[in-house]
Every structure is written in C-alpha cells, then in structure tokens.
Amino acid sequence: MERLIPKDEGELSSLLEEASAAGRPLEVIGRGSKRSFGRPQQVEAELSLEAFTGVRFYEPEELVLSVGAATPMAEIDALLEETGQVLAFEPMDLGPLLSGKDGEARSDSLGGVVACNLSGPRRPKAGAARDHVLGLAGVNGEGAQFKTGGRVVKNVTGYDLCKLMSGSLGTLAAMTEITVKVLPRAEKTRSLLFFGLDAAQATALFVKAMGSAYDVSAAAHLPKPLALKSGVDLVSGAEASVTALRLEGPEPSVLARQAGLTALLSEIGVVGEELHAMRSRHFWREVRDCRAFVGRSDKAIWRVALPPARLADAVQQLSLASEDYFCDWGGGLLWMARSEEGSSDNLAAQIEALGGYATLVAAETGARAALPTFLPQDPGRSALAARIKEALDPKGILNPGRLYAGL
C-alpha cells in the first residue's frame, strides 16, 4: 500500500484535495498505535501525519501547551514532569490493550488521544479529553486548512470544532496541531483500598463517596481475579476484590478528607490498605490503560458508559463473570470482556435498557467487521453524524467506515 507523508500543512492540503477529486480513500494515522480501534477499513493509501510533531508553544505559567498532533505522549509526559504539571484528564494509552503487549513505554500521540477522546480515572472530576482541548489546526477532506479555538480557556470563535474533532477517529479531518490546557500536579496522592466488596457493595460505596464533600478524584472496582493480576503488591496480595478511592491535593487537605471519608464509609467497608506515591500512581495507570484485559484475545473488549448507580444491575443483567469485568469512574465506566456470536441486537437492547452506551475497543478483525463500534446506534444521531461527515469530507475519503458502516 502506498504511504503518503506530507511535510507541512500546504503539502497535506494538496494531497487531500487531489484524493478528494479522485475519490481515493485514505487511512489517516499519526503513530499507528490505534489502527485496530474502530471498524476495519478498505483504503487505497496510508496518510501518515508523522511529520507534525514537536512543541509549538508552551507557557507553564499560563497553563497552555501547543504541539504537533503526532507528538508522542511520552515526550509530552516528560516535558510536563519537568515543570510539575499534568494533563488533568489522564489520557488513556490503548497501546497495550490493542497490541496485546504489556509494555510500560507509551507509543501513542496526542492527536490519537484527542481523535479517540480517551480519558482516564479522573474523568468524573476533571472532564473528558475534549474538555481540555483549547484549539486545533487541521485540513478537512476537501483539502481546506482551518483553525479553531485558541490559546485561552475563554475564547469565542463560532462553532466549536474542537469538540467535534474529539472522538471522530480521524473521519472528519487530519489534525496537525493541538492546544491543550495543563494543570499543576497534585502535591499529595493517597488511595484507599477496600477489600472483599461485591458489585452491589462497591456501587453503594461509590454513590456515597462520589456524592460527598471529600472531593474523590478517582474510584474503581476490580473483582478478585483481576485484582490478582495487578503489579502492585498491596493489591494483588490482598487475594480479594479491590475497591479503590483516590484523594489528591495539598497534604493537609488530603489527610483531613481521608479521615472524613473513612468515617463516612465505615458502614459499607473498612479501609484495608493505603497506597502512597509510586504504588498509587502505578495502580491508577493500570486502571487507566485497562491492563487487566491485556492479552485477552479470546473475547471482545467493550467499554460501557452508564449511570454509576446501575453498575451492579449491569453486572447481573449482562451475566458477567468476575474475571470478565471491572469498573472505573465511580461505576460510570464498565469494562467487559464478552464473547460475541451473531447479532449484537440483544447486547444493544440491554445497554439501552441500562441507560448507557458501549464502544467496541478490541476484537479480532472478523468481529470488528461484523459488530458496530458503538451501541446502541440512535437513528437521529446517526443521521446527524452523516450530515457532519458530508460537510467536512463530502467524498468520504478519510478513514471511511471506521466509525459506522457506510460512513
């Protein structure tokens, strides 16, 4: 397959204009770490954005960072580490899950994170990836260059294309530059572990903790079989299910909130252990990157967003075994490994009845082609997505069919 590597926005614009005129479908990639996320595509050439890298603008005092879309997340993490700052939405790294290799080094880019709208455990507190994108530049499917947003949080630039591009999987435009807001790293982090809770007890714990005044920044539940896989000794060594809550901030605040939260939750569960510093960081990285399911090629991996109070109902109604699920976002995000045979209509109906929606994240090529990426598919939203695609990529040359069949 031919590989196109434009060196700048002008060359990218010319390539896309020519491809649009010829109706030539292209696969748009940055670093290629998420090529198997979404439906398989039938394309004639690969459009690599690997040349669009590097820091374009960074002012730590203003909490603003602008980089080329293909800039590796490993480089961004290292830069922010030096200044004591972070991307508050904790961008998830799909690399280990999609490749099946549990490596430590990140292989993705900021453009890939934004294109997939990937957010980590801090999502309920800090918002999604799309909420942290201040501006971006790119080229649409007709070869037209555009810029949207800016370098400040409060800017008025008309239609918010930043939100539209986030989660579009490269089907609307090729992003070349992205500006995000950054925040100071927390001075103190402490994670409280509760052992032996079932899904119903974990749900009750989450509802009480997340609704309290103690500012919990992350909450997750791992059944025993998945907790045993953790690389954190205090988690795997418990030999029980693990329900975790994270507190962050200035040390006096964290200690005071820890005492209050422990007392508040004493009727549901007793704190069995505490994670400090590196252990806490390692554990939440495992949760963020779905490390518990790395190497699970026997089943399709689904990411289900649902009302947090429905976690226990979802586990029961979807008949999930303890080794086939865990949850993040205080019960609002359910990860599940599920054998898929034949139609997905039944799963769609179950997810809809729970008030949620699901995304197929990892599966064999055949299953990815047969199953919709998103469940359930609302007819109104599907029609709107088609109209947006037609407006920005009328010939349908950018990652055709990756989101939906025929789009």
Side-chain angles (χ1 to χ4, degrees):
M1 183 185 298
E2 183 181 5
R3 194 163 188 257
L4 308 174
I5 311 177
K7 299 299 187 292
D8 54 38
E9 282 84 353
E11 191 172 331
L12 173 60
S13 179
S14 297
L15 286 172
L16 288 177
E17 186 176 358
E18 292 171 6
S20 180
R24 187 187 192 194
L26 304 173
E27 179 186 15
V28 183
I29 67 168
R31 297 182 58 80
S33 64
K34 302 175 183 64
R35 297 181 81 169
S36 59
F37 180 45
R39 301 183 68 258
Q41 306 168 76
Q42 301 250 338
V43 297
E44 296 181 8
E46 174 188 311
L47 178 62
S48 172
L49 304 178
E50 62 186 59
F52 298 93
T53 62
V55 176
R56 310 291 175 82
F57 176 85
Y58 181 36
E59 288 193 1
E61 298 82 4
E62 299 298 327
L63 306 178
V64 176
L65 171 66
S66 180
V67 300
T71 302
M73 283 300 305
E75 292 184 14
I76 295 174
D77 289 343
L79 174 65
L80 295 178
E81 184 75 29
E82 292 178 1
T83 56
Q85 295 182 334
V86 295
L87 292 172
F89 61 94
E90 287 183 288
M92 179 189 183
D93 181 10
L94 276 180
L97 184 63
L98 296 179
S99 69
K101 300 176 182 178
D102 199 2
E104 289 297 322
R106 292 195 71 138
S107 59
D108 55 348
S109 66
L110 181 60
V113 167
V114 173
C116 297
N117 193 33
L118 297 174
S119 310
R122 206 179 284 112
R123 166 68 171 85
K125 174 180 171 62
R130 63 175 178 267
D131 301 314
H132 294 254
V133 179
L134 300 177
L136 58 82
V139 182
N140 72 8
E142 292 184 295
Q145 298 182 43
F146 67 89
K147 289 186 177 181
T148 181
R151 291 179 175 176
V152 294
V153 175
K154 294 182 179 180
N155 58 70
V156 180
T157 57
Y159 193 79
D160 192 354
L161 286 177
C162 295
K163 297 290 193 300
L164 197 61
M165 295 298 159
S166 302
S168 64
L169 299 187
T171 61
L172 301 178
M175 292 183 289
T176 58
E177 182 177 316
I178 300 173
T179 301
V180 292
K181 61 181 176 182
V182 297
L183 291 174
R185 185 182 302 279
E187 174 190 322
K188 180 77 172 179
T189 299
R190 183 162 293 184
S191 298
L192 311 181
L193 305 184
F194 300 80
F195 299 139
L197 304 186
D198 58 24
Q201 292 170 320
T203 299
L205 188 87
F206 291 151
V207 169
K208 205 163 188 178
M210 302 303 282
S212 73
Y214 297 113
D215 198 20
V216 176
S217 70
H221 173 71
L222 282 70
K224 178 180 176 180
L226 300 189
L228 290 172
K229 294 182 178 181
S230 174
V232 179
D233 55 356
L234 297 180
V235 175
S236 58
E239 297 188 354
S241 68
V242 174
T243 306
L245 302 175
R246 183 177 65 186
L247 299 172
E248 297 177 300
E251 183 170 358
S253 171
V254 169
L255 296 179
R257 284 184 284 133
Q258 176 187 349
L261 189 62
T262 299
L264 176 70
L265 302 175
S266 60
E267 293 183 1
I268 301 174
V270 177
V271 175
E273 194 57 81
E274 297 176 6
L275 299 183
H276 299 247
M278 293 306 297
R279 278 194 177 100
S280 181
R281 193 170 179 178
H282 189 93
F283 172 76
W284 290 107
R285 189 182 299 124
E286 289 180 340
V287 174
R288 180 196 73 185
D289 297 341
C290 195
R291 297 296 178 101
F293 284 161
V294 171
R296 287 292 301 269
S297 58
D298 58 318
K299 295 184 178 182
I301 307 300
W302 292 87
R303 190 172 182 259
V304 184
L306 72 164
R310 302 301 303 276
L311 170 63
D313 296 335
V315 171
Q316 180 180 17
Q317 293 176 30
L318 295 171
S319 302
L320 298 176
S322 58
E323 67 271 16
D324 289 337
Y325 82 93
F326 73 94
C327 79
D328 195 2
W329 299 0
L333 181 64
L334 173 69
W335 285 95
M336 66 178 183
R338 180 184 174 101
S339 297
E340 298 298 341
E341 299 178 0
S343 173
S344 60
D345 291 346
N346 183 49
L347 177 59
Q350 290 177 303
I351 296 297
E352 190 169 21
L354 289 165
Y357 63 92
T359 303
L360 178 64
V361 177
E364 296 295 331
T365 303
R368 287 171 50 222
L371 295 168
T373 302
F374 300 101
L375 296 174
Q377 297 183 78
D378 178 85
R381 292 182 180 179
S382 295
L384 180 58
R387 290 175 61 188
I388 293 172
K389 173 72 169 175
E390 184 178 0
L392 292 170
D393 181 23
K395 293 296 184 67
I397 65 167
L398 300 177
N399 286 351
R402 189 169 183 182
L403 279 175
Y404 302 104
L407 184 63

